Structures are given as structure tokens and as C-alpha cells.
Amino acid sequence: MDIVTLPSRSVPVLAEADICVAGGSCTGVFAAVTAARRGARVAVVEPQNRFGGTATASQVCYWHSIFNLDYSRQIIAGMTDEILHRLDRRGQVDYADGPDPSWYARLNTEELAIELDELVVEAGVLPFLHTRAVDVWRDADGRPAGLLVAGKGGLGVLKAKYLVDATGDGDICAAAGAEMWRNPSLQPPTACAKMSRWPEREVGMFELGKWIHAEAERYRMPEGMIWGCPTPGKNTFMLAGTKIPDADLSDPAELTAGEIEGRRQIRAIQDIVAGHGLPRPVLEALPSLIGIRDTRHIRSLYRLTTDDVLYGREFPDTIARGTYRVDVHSQNPPGTRFLYLDGTEVFISPDRENEATRWRPEGPAPECYNIPLRSLIPAGFDNLISAGRMIDAETGAYGAVRVMVTMNQTGEAAGNAAYEALDKDTGIPEAAGL
Ligand SMILES: Cc1cc2nc3c(=O)[nH]c(=O)nc-3n(C[C@H](O)[C@H](O)[C@H](O)COP(=O)(O)OP(=O)(O)OC[C@H]3O[C@@H](n4cnc5c(N)ncnc54)[C@H](O)[C@@H]3O)c2cc1C
């Protein structure tokens, strides 16, 4: 790649905050609001026109269980609960009839975006939409002391004592020089789509998978698990039916190609459905950001292992809990492997009935798994913390903890950890006693 050198230039300081959060998904907003409610001056930067990340920009609408494994005790509360209550008051969330490993709550994600606006405004967080963090800004000693951002007005700096990287891909940790790693086989990205006139009664997801399997070559469709659901209000159906194999969407060229290929596949699915003599589903809304499952992870103070998750290991610095199964989408063989805390293992493939086995013999199961704060702190940094999917977790562990009810908690934990450090005027690990 050709390199050019820009002449040195001055850029405006857009704000001076105590804590600056890069990335405004629920994870990032929860980090920002948590710290702001405790009294910190907080800014949050988000490239989309709205907050919510994968939930809003990428249309992913299911939140999973907030209870322990046998549903006898609620284990997740905080801002996840708060958002559910706020949406529920407006009738914008549907709940599963009973315990269901596939979902607990189904959100109207358009309404979620407005709810997140309100949270940010109420907490006095300084928002920067249509703004991307492009680098870390360093003080004279070379220490991270803010973000270089690119927005509608060009480049600018947000100064901050503490940085929270909630960009999903770990853009800020990588820019700061933190050690990053990738799973050997990345889970594929998926472009979701909202459709009306979706033939829900005529074709179930397994049937659709078989249709796609039969026409995979003609339509150049990669295979794998497909899911979808009606959105609250039932006017549209959200379909997660596409996938981009072997793509790392933290790479700008692959991100561009992935967006275009995802939309091509959405159209191919409409064609496949219409080709079976059904009315062509009407495309009502495309995502403004392809759904990204897995890219870069940080090397932290502790890598969460798959056994930690499956056996429910406890930690002195636990900051998040969950019960969602290990859920790893693979391309070879195409399908999704689920490992449940109760020992069950299920492999769902596009054209065969589910295969249920066990990954361990019958026996007592943990009530949940736990995530330590250490898995969010990049090794070697004291004023930078991550939140969200760049968490330091092995492939299987990541397959479980990547869901939103868990990622939300990492946001709140990062906001709290940064606030504690600010309050004690020290580093994040030290403030947490690590
Ligand atoms: C297709 C699909 C289906 C899924 N299904 C479910 C499901 O049913 N239920 C569930 O709970 N989970 C599901 N997941 C997983 C879950 O949605 C994600 O793991 C989770 O939302 C990740 O949250 P995050 O905040 O870490 O990242 P993201 O949601 O990716 O948020 C990152 C945010 O940072 C912003 N950003 C990126 N770069 C920068 C930058 N340089 N500067 C500033 N901001 C930046 C982005 O615009 C985005 O808003 C699914 C994921 C996918 C892709």
C-alpha cells in the first residue's frame, strides 16, 4: 500500500471530558450513562446516526434470558432491566411464553434507538453522532489522553482522562498499541433485513434452509443456520438469512465487500422464496451496518476460557453473568453448534434435522457463568478499558458471552471501573484492586 505523509496540522478540541466512550451500541451507551450518573463528565462517539449498534443499526432484536439456568432467580438487572421496562411501558417488547434458550425478549429496535437517545440526554452525556474515533490522541508523555475523531466538521480531538473502547472491533485498543488477536475461524457476519409479506405460515426457517441449500450454487448462497422472527407489532419479519464466510470486517475493504454481498444475498433469498410460487416478500428496511459477530479481541489481564463458561467458574472480580449457551456459527461444516450449561450439545445444519448429543455426562449444572473485570482490561494500560465483543475470551467462551444481555453488563462494568479510577485519581486496574 502506498503511504503519504500529511503536513502537521492543528485540529479543534471538541470537548474535554473525564471519560470518553468510543462506540455507542447499548454496551457503549450503558458505559457512558453509568459513569455520567455517578458524576463524571462523559462523551460518547458513534459513527451511525443512532445509538444501539448491532441491535439498531443491524436490526438484531432478541435479548436472551436474564435469569439463572432454571429460571428460579434473576441474575441480570441494571440497565438491561431498565431498558426492558422502558420499552415495555410503551408496548415495544414481546416476551417468550416461558423458558426458551433461543430468546427471552424481542425488542422493537427502532424504539430502542429513541430510548437510548433519552438515556444519554437524561444522564447529561455529551453525544457525538455521525462521528468515528480514528485514533488515540496522546499527551506530551505519549500517554493516551483522548480520541482523534472524524465527524461532519472534519477532524477534532476529545480530551479525556479515561477511555472506554466499545467499538466492537477494538479500534481504540488497536490504535493505542494494545496486543490484539483473532479466533482462528471467525464467526461469519450476517446482513439482516426487515420484510413485509413474509410467508411465515408457508415456510419455516428449517424449510427455508433446505430451499437455500437446494439452490446454493445458482444463487451463490453460503449455507448455515438461518433464523428470523416477527418484530413487535408483527408488521414486519426480521430475517437473519445471509452470511459472509471467512470475512474479517475490521478490515475496511472486507467491510465494504461484506455490506454489498450481504445485500445481494438478501435479494437472492427474496428470489428463492418467490421461485417457490409464493408472493415475493417486500423488503422494508436494510440494516445500516452489517451484523458483525467476531473480529479482533484484546489480550487482557485474563482470557476467559470455554471451561470457565461451561462449568460456571466464579471470580473475585466478576462483573457480568449469563446463561446463554455456547453458540458458534461455522462454515465447515456449515451450521451452528450449541453447548448448553446442562451438558446438552446440539448441531443445527441447513439441511438435516438437529443432532442432539451431550458434551459431558449427566450431572449438576452451574446456575450461570461469570465474567471477570480483568477480561476487559488490555494488558499494559491503566486508563483504557474495553467493553463488548473485543473481550478476551476463547472461541467457545466468546460464543456464549457475545450476546447482548452479557455485553450490556460489560458496558456498565467499564463505566463503573473508569469512574472508580477517576474518583480515586488512579489507574483502572489499581482502582479495582487488581
Ligand atoms: C446477525 C447477528 C445476530 C445476532 N443475534 C443475536 C441475538 O439474537 N441476541 C443477542 O443478544 N446477540 C446476538 N448477536 C450478538 C450480539 O448482537 C453482538 O455480539 C453484540 O451486540 C455486540 O455488541 P458490541 O457493543 O460489542 O458491538 P456492536 O454492537 O458491534 O457495537 C459497536 C459500536 O461501535 C461503533 N463503532 C465501530 N467503530 C467505531 C469507531 N472507530 N469509533 C466509534 N464508534 C465505532 C459501531 O457503529 C457500533 O455502534 C448477533 C450478532 C449478529 C451479527
Side-chain angles (χ1 to χ4, degrees):
M1 184 190 282
D2 248 2
I3 303 271
V4 295
T5 305
L6 294 179
S8 95
R9 55 183 291 195
S10 303
V11 300
V13 175
L14 303 175
E16 290 198 35
D18 297 319
I19 298 166
C20 193
V21 180
S25 65
C26 288
T27 313
V29 168
F30 288 7
V33 170
T34 298
R37 284 180 177 172
R38 295 186 70 182
R41 295 172 306 154
V42 186
V44 61
V45 179
E46 168 55 46
Q48 297 284 320
N49 79 336
R50 67 192 64 187
F51 296 113
T54 306
T56 57
S58 313
Q59 304 180 341
V60 174
C61 57
Y62 275 152
W63 281 8
H64 294 98
S65 170
I66 58 173
F67 297 93
N68 63 355
L69 197 58
D70 66 6
Y71 272 63
S72 60
R73 190 167 78 89
Q74 184 172 346
I75 56 164
I76 300 171
M79 296 192 70
T80 297
D81 219 13
E82 185 178 340
I83 279 287
L84 288 172
H85 281 113
R86 289 171 78 124
L87 286 172
D88 200 24
R89 274 204 299 275
R90 295 177 183 276
Q92 298 303 325
V93 51
D94 294 340
Y95 290 98
D97 288 338
D100 187 327
S102 298
W103 70 292
Y104 167 67
R106 192 161 56 203
L107 319 185
N108 179 334
T109 58
E110 309 299 321
E111 296 271 355
L112 172 63
I114 303 176
E115 216 58 65
L116 294 172
D117 287 343
E118 292 191 354
L119 275 186
V120 164
V121 171
E122 287 163 13
V125 172
L126 188 58
F128 291 85
L129 291 173
H130 293 292
T131 305
R132 181 178 292 276
V134 292
D135 206 346
V136 166
W137 182 73
R138 294 171 192 275
D139 62 17
D141 300 328
R143 189 180 138 85
L147 296 175
L148 178 66
V149 301
K152 188 72 185 138
L155 292 177
V157 161
L158 291 171
K159 290 187 177 177
K161 296 186 183 110
Y162 299 90
L163 302 178
V164 177
D165 183 348
T167 61
D169 301 323
D171 291 3
I172 304 311
C173 291
E179 190 184 325
M180 310 297 287
W181 62 277
R182 288 172 176 77
N183 279 307
S185 170
L186 292 176
Q187 296 203 46
T190 290
C192 300
K194 286 183 185 159
M195 307 208 198
S196 60
R197 215 167 63 188
W198 180 260
E200 208 185 333
R201 271 197 299 271
E202 290 82 357
V203 54
M205 289 296 113
F206 183 63
E207 193 65 19
L208 179 64
K210 287 209 281 195
W211 290 359
I212 292 175
H213 177 71
E215 310 226 43
E217 211 174 304
R218 177 173 172 209
Y219 286 98
R220 290 181 285 128
M221 286 297 290
E223 298 184 63
M225 197 187 89
I226 291 166
W227 64 274
C229 60
T231 56
K234 315 252 181 316
N235 292 332
T236 56
F237 189 88
M238 197 290 288
L239 182 73
T242 67
K243 52 197 60 61
I244 319 293
D246 305 319
D248 176 359
L249 298 201
S250 63
D251 176 275
E254 293 191 41
L255 176 59
T256 301
E259 293 281 16
I260 292 171
E261 171 61 11
R263 290 192 282 268
R264 185 196 70 75
Q265 290 182 25
I266 289 167
R267 178 169 278 180
I269 293 174
Q270 290 173 281
D271 290 344
I272 290 171
V273 170
H276 280 76
L278 294 167
R280 186 184 172 80
V282 179
L283 183 55
E284 298 286 357
L286 287 167
S288 57
L289 176 65
I290 188 170
I292 303 174
R293 287 196 174 82
D294 192 9
T295 56
R296 291 185 288 220
H297 297 268
I298 58 165
R299 185 172 73 78
S300 72
L301 305 183
Y302 180 78
R303 181 162 303 163
L304 189 70
T305 70
T306 305
D307 278 359
D308 290 340
V309 164
L310 288 174
Y311 293 98
R313 181 167 174 200
E314 290 174 10
F315 301 99
D317 55 333
T318 290
I319 46 83
R321 293 186 285 207
T323 56
Y324 184 66
R325 56 200 173 183
V326 170
D327 164 352
V328 178
H329 295 242
S330 72
Q331 216 48 54
N332 192 15
T336 300
R337 186 169 304 283
F338 295 115
L339 305 183
Y340 293 79
L341 295 190
D342 72 0
T344 316
E345 174 169 358
V346 176
F347 185 71
I348 298 185
S349 66
D351 61 333
R352 273 170 297 148
E353 299 295 341
N354 300 350
E355 297 163 16
T357 51
R358 293 193 66 79
W359 62 266
R360 69 160 168 79
E362 299 273 356
E367 72 158 352
C368 65
Y369 46 76
N370 306 287
I371 299 176
L373 181 67
R374 281 166 294 158
S375 299
L376 304 182
I377 302 178
F381 289 83
D382 67 358
N383 70 340
L384 171 62
I385 185 165
S386 76
R389 60 183 166 75
M390 81 283 289
I391 188 172
D392 197 3
E394 287 180 357
T395 308
Y398 177 67
V401 304
R402 67 190 177 88
V403 293
M404 289 182 266
V405 291
T406 328
M407 296 290 94
N408 292 347
Q409 297 171 77
T410 66
E412 291 168 86
N416 270 321
Y419 177 81
E420 289 293 330
L422 172 74
D423 191 46
K424 296 180 177 131
D425 194 20
T426 185
I428 291 171
E430 194 182 328
L434 299 174

